[in-house]
Amino acid sequence: MHITTFNPMILSKNADEIIKLFEALGFERLHKVDNIDGKDISSVRMKDANGFCVDVARVESMERDMTTMRMNVRDFDEAYAFLKAHGFKNARGEDHTVESKSARSCLMFSPSGFSIQLTQHIRNHD
């Protein structure tokens, strides 16, 4: 399995406040994706001068903030099967994925309760 990036991701309905906090810590916004899964969900990728990254997603339906780990991979199906073989469950039901022009993803929970946001970016180059 080829992992391309691995970093924390915060899901919150108060994403703007969290983004401001990370900007005060020296992180800069790299890019933003809106209308994820056809819903009012947006995600901002941030990076600091040392190369550390954090993603902050605004999810209005979140009652409490949630911190997960974002794992970008080259082969979604391979990584999904790997996580399932290790007991992970898809948060939105068996084999549900969020797909857009640029990515395919889903939130997976381990048997002990930690989570990984599994993502494959749709690449038009190697």
Side-chain angles (χ1 to χ4, degrees):
M1 177 172 45
H2 184 154
I3 299 171
T4 57
T5 59
F6 197 91
N7 60 270
M9 180 177 202
I10 302 168
L11 311 173
S12 175
K13 62 182 168 187
N14 300 309
D16 291 338
E17 295 170 23
I18 295 168
I19 291 167
K20 287 178 187 173
L21 170 68
F22 278 91
E23 286 175 331
L25 289 169
F27 284 76
E28 295 181 7
R29 298 177 197 212
L30 294 180
H31 66 271
K32 179 180 179 183
V33 178
D34 291 315
N35 198 33
I36 297 170
D37 202 20
K39 299 180 176 129
D40 192 23
I41 298 172
S42 64
S43 180
V44 174
R45 183 149 182 85
M46 303 181 79
K47 188 175 189 178
D48 77 355
N50 296 309
F52 296 116
C53 292
V54 64
D55 296 320
V56 181
R58 183 182 45 75
V59 182
E60 290 296 328
S61 63
M62 298 295 297
E63 292 181 27
R64 298 181 56 189
D65 292 355
M66 178 180 162
T67 302
T68 186
M69 294 172 281
R70 177 175 160 179
M71 182 170 75
N72 289 352
V73 296
R74 286 281 168 91
D75 185 329
F76 183 92
D77 293 327
E78 175 189 25
Y80 189 83
F82 176 88
L83 292 174
K84 281 181 63 173
H86 284 82
F88 281 73
K89 304 278 187 213
N90 189 321
R92 296 193 60 202
E94 190 66 26
D95 299 332
H96 176 84
T97 59
V98 175
E99 300 193 34
S100 70
K101 288 186 275 185
S102 62
R104 181 177 177 201
S105 66
C106 70
L107 183 63
M108 303 286 289
F109 281 97
S110 75
S112 64
F114 75 88
S115 63
I116 293 178
Q117 177 69 33
L118 178 62
T119 302
Q120 176 186 359
H121 280 96
I122 309 301
R123 299 166 50 99
N124 58 7
H125 62 283
D126 287 329

